[in-house]
Amino acid sequence: MHKNNKELTLSAPLSGPVLTLAKVPDAVFASGAMGDGIAIDPLNDTLHAPCAGVVVHVARTGHAVTLRADNGAELLLHLGLDTVELQGQGFTMLVEEGARVTNGQPLLRYDQDKVAQQCKSLVSLLILTNSQDFQARPITLKSVRVGEPLLHIIRRQVAGAQAEAEPVGEEIVGHIRIAHRGGLHARPAALIRQTAQGFKSKSKLHFGGKSATCDSLIGLMGLAIGEQDDVQVSCQGPDAEAALQALLTALSTALAEEHHAAAPTPMVQRQRVPEAGVLHGVCAAPGLVAGPLFRLSAISLPADAGHNDPAQQRQTLDTALTQVHSEITATLSQARKHKQTDEEAIFAAHLALLEDPALLDAAHHSIDLGTAATHAWSQSIDAQCDVLQQLGSALLAERANDLRDLKQRVLRALLGEAWHYELPPGAIVAAHELTPSDLLQLSQQGVAGLCMAEGGATSHVAILARGKGLPCMVALGASLLDQQQGQAVVLDAEGGRLELMPSVERLAQVEQAQLDRRQRRAEQQAQAHSPAQTVDGLHIEVAANVASSEEAANALANGADGVGLLRTEFLFVDRQTAPDEREQHHAYQAVLDAMGDKSVIIRTIDVGGDKQLDYLPLPAEANPVLGLRGIRLAQARPEILDQQLRALLHVTPLSRCRILLPMVTEVDELLHIRQRLEALCHELGLSQRPELGVMIEVPAAALLAEQLAEHADFLSIGTNDLSQYTLAMDRDHAGLASRVDALHPALLRLIAQTCAGAARHKRWVGVCGALASDPLATPVLIGLGVSELSVSPVQIGEIKDRVRHLDASECRRISQDLLKLSSASAVRHACHQHWPLR
């Protein structure tokens, strides 16, 4: 789709998760040597045209095709990594060179199973090969479907473009045999172009009666040069001799990853990718940090002579298992208490594995044969890991990493080692592969960043690192572990680079960037206790989501205008009996006391379905998220809600307490609880009743917002549940989680309808879901009519600062246009354009 001759919007050629080039596990693509672009990990079997244009090159091995768009942009579409080696097996090209194609037209089809089994990776590239003339700006970095907006292509502004001078001097020529596996396909061609661009001379390649300039990627690939073909290189210009030597070297030296025998001995040693002193990896959690590199080594076991006493070794193993079980249970309890769902899911899986009879039986069998408990446990885990990894499933390979975590933890307990690493604060930790337990321990010790020789960007460690805000890089390769202990390094996770020999200037630059970030946060924090008011005078309340009185005190210290959501489940989980009215009252009063004179919104118990209580047995459900939970449980077990309401009505001052009802779907549910609350107030002799609000977390409630607002004092939107119920996607589903985006236009329309319905009865609307903590969403929510944002305590200063830079009337005008967009990615792109993040 054209906006003019300079700007072009490219649609997704494949369906799947989107990656930046820096995250592509290939040094040539990741370094940008081929040009700007984007990558997709495909879920479908057909590559489509991202725009209208002409096919200017088709790879002879059928794995790549290049289009020239009508505005002149040249787009290489490359399916998978190292797929050239398949020699066309599994690929069916659907177009020919010179053909005119339309936007969305199928270009090539491939056999997913066959290609996936034989190539390095299915990650596929869309590369702007003439990036010197055009710029690529991503519209989205989330999952896409074929045809959705993916990139903006904008022509670069070249001031006073001059006619290119003709090369002067004698033309010199050399001959060489191509060493690159598969010939001069896209990746080696990019290196040849990059080499040529390092010189002033003009260089050409000649083969089979055709010629191409070395600065044209399309031209080079169009020569169809194969492996071991003899080619001629010509250079003309002031540094022609040096250019020729460098090009002959580049053509005769296989890419580092190919492990392929080079042809003639290079005359000039010029390694451009990977860079000297830089290890390339994949970003697992973003961030830029500098610090001393410290390597963590795996536990080495003492030799086992065998002939051990089986009964004694069983007892030793049981003691260690009990200790680790207790540690994981404690971690799990904390994660539940603080609503750290990612952490909770990971360690719940660890607990299940620890109790797996197959592991224990294998270890016990070895012990019965005289093996020491340490070796028996280690061998049992290793055998299970081997089985999982041979199955070729990424999900099962991740489960193998969980097993290795348990192996380490139990071995530490068996060997009596303290669960502690001796590391200085600010260290950048290097390891073969870290485990979730390692990460929790290291984050508590104040390390600055993490890097691993292996691992994946979607691993449990990566998820936890992102949650902790800890820069993390994976897949850096074995040479990471050969680096000198304590050397100063720069970890640029977003750029996928570990710089091993940073200059003093580079270290100073990184330190300055960190100082700037800290200063910005300090400035935001200094203003965090001031009201959040837009430039045109609209006041927005910025409250906090908390789960205890300690968190409430922290929220007040961080500048919270109140508590927008107190989750009362923290009182009910991980215990054998329900808390009585007295215990509940003390807990709620403690939160009110911790918040000074500010109001506190307390949500009634939201358990049931997927959140079971040991002392409250409920029937197993096929679809727990759609089952007996929230207010529905209160209807089924009214004594639980009665007890909670009584405890709430005893807090003082009652005027600062607001009660919030979860999972409401119809007005009668609200009226029933309201009548019950008034009856209890009368019973207790109270003249005032606390405000009663409704959570808008199912589409039915949003659509009935006007009717609910007639009987409620306020509405609070829970965007997490509202997203999954509106999009019919489980937000905990590994394959769908990235697509559950609360900036989806359908969600925004429900938020707009909620605010409009509440306004008719002069009720205020807040947002307590994760969307409130996303600064990109702040102007949209304000524009749709939200007046309270309840966020993570650490983000209060940031969100208040964001509010102060917005014009509410402009937010209202632009937000109405956002409702007309077709996808969450389009909304996010528009937000970046209208309200750039600082």
Side-chain angles (χ1 to χ4, degrees), residues 569-692:
E569 295 78 53
F570 77 96
L571 278 170
F572 292 82
V573 297
D574 296 321
R575 53 191 298 160
Q576 298 306 309
T577 57
D580 60 20
E581 185 182 318
R582 180 186 173 85
E583 183 184 348
Q584 287 192 52
H585 167 250
H586 282 313
Y588 305 145
Q589 187 65 54
V591 174
L592 254 73
D593 293 344
M595 285 307 295
D597 61 350
K598 303 187 185 304
S599 65
V600 173
I601 296 176
I602 301 177
R603 185 177 69 188
T604 58
I605 183 172
D606 184 14
V607 296
D610 61 334
K611 289 181 275 187
Q612 292 279 358
L613 300 177
D614 292 340
Y615 51 86
L616 185 66
L618 294 168
E621 299 186 71
N623 293 299
V625 175
L626 302 177
L628 197 63
R629 57 169 296 200
I631 209 70
R632 301 168 191 172
L633 175 65
Q635 290 170 320
R637 298 290 298 272
E639 73 280 3
I640 294 175
L641 183 63
D642 264 13
Q643 187 183 56
Q644 187 167 32
L645 292 176
R646 285 176 184 277
L648 287 167
L649 290 173
H650 279 102
V651 300
T652 56
L654 199 53
S655 58
R656 286 205 289 114
C657 175
R658 295 168 175 164
I659 298 173
L660 183 60
L661 305 177
M663 289 298 293
V664 171
T665 56
E666 56 188 40
V667 177
D668 281 354
E669 292 170 327
L670 168 61
L671 290 175
H672 172 73
I673 303 296
R674 187 172 189 126
Q675 288 163 4
R676 188 69 199 126
L677 187 65
E678 285 170 352
L680 287 170
C681 285
H682 179 73
E683 186 183 309
L684 295 169
L686 297 171
S687 57
Q688 66 173 146
R689 170 184 65 76
E691 287 188 10
L692 187 64

Side-chain angles (χ1 to χ4, degrees), residues 144-196:
V144 290
R145 284 174 295 194
V146 168
E148 290 184 343
L150 181 66
L151 283 176
H152 277 318
I153 302 296
I154 300 165
R155 185 177 287 278
R156 294 184 189 274
Q157 300 297 317
V158 183
Q162 301 169 348
E164 216 168 86
E166 284 294 315
V168 293
E170 182 188 357
E171 183 180 76
I172 59 172
V173 177
H175 294 267
I176 198 71
R177 180 168 291 171
I178 299 296
H180 296 283
R181 185 180 295 176
L184 211 62
H185 53 96
R187 291 161 67 251
L191 288 182
I192 301 309
R193 181 178 69 170
Q194 192 181 49
T195 303

Side-chain angles (χ1 to χ4, degrees), residues 213-235:
T213 60
C214 291
D215 59 2
S216 168
L217 198 60
I218 303 305
L220 291 173
M221 292 191 299
L223 294 177
I225 298 170
E227 187 178 351
Q228 299 299 308
D229 279 342
D230 289 307
V231 299
Q232 187 184 67
V233 188
S234 65
C235 300

Side-chain angles (χ1 to χ4, degrees), residues 762-774:
K762 296 184 170 53
R763 309 299 190 202
W764 62 268
V765 177
V767 173
C768 59
L771 195 65
S773 297
D774 183 351

Side-chain angles (χ1 to χ4, degrees), residues 271-384:
Q271 188 179 13
R272 301 181 74 89
V273 176
E275 303 163 65
V278 176
L279 295 181
H280 291 275
V282 177
C283 177
L288 174 67
V289 288
L293 189 72
F294 276 83
R295 186 177 63 255
L296 294 185
S297 301
I299 292 174
S300 56
L301 294 177
D304 179 23
H307 313 299
N308 296 283
D309 175 12
Q312 184 184 13
Q313 293 302 313
R314 271 187 179 242
Q315 180 59 49
T316 303
L317 179 59
D318 288 347
T319 302
L321 291 171
T322 301
Q323 179 187 327
V324 172
H325 192 283
S326 173
E327 287 172 2
I328 297 175
T329 302
T331 303
L332 196 55
S333 178
Q334 282 297 105
R336 282 179 181 149
K337 180 178 176 182
H338 296 294
K339 278 287 184 179
Q340 293 162 328
T341 52
D342 287 331
E343 220 167 284
E344 182 184 344
I346 289 165
F347 287 104
H350 284 200
L351 208 54
L353 286 172
L354 192 67
E355 296 163 353
D356 190 316
L359 282 178
L360 298 176
D361 288 350
H364 287 157
H365 178 68
S366 293
I367 286 172
D368 290 343
L369 296 175
T371 307
T374 47
H375 289 258
W377 178 253
S378 185
Q379 290 161 11
S380 171
I381 295 272
D382 289 347
Q384 194 63 35

Side-chain angles (χ1 to χ4, degrees), residues 485-507:
Q485 196 83 314
Q487 72 185 67
V489 297
V490 169
L491 175 64
D492 176 7
E494 206 146 357
R497 296 157 49 88
L498 181 68
E499 300 169 25
L500 302 172
M501 297 180 288
S503 63
V504 174
E505 292 78 15
R506 174 59 171 157
L507 289 170

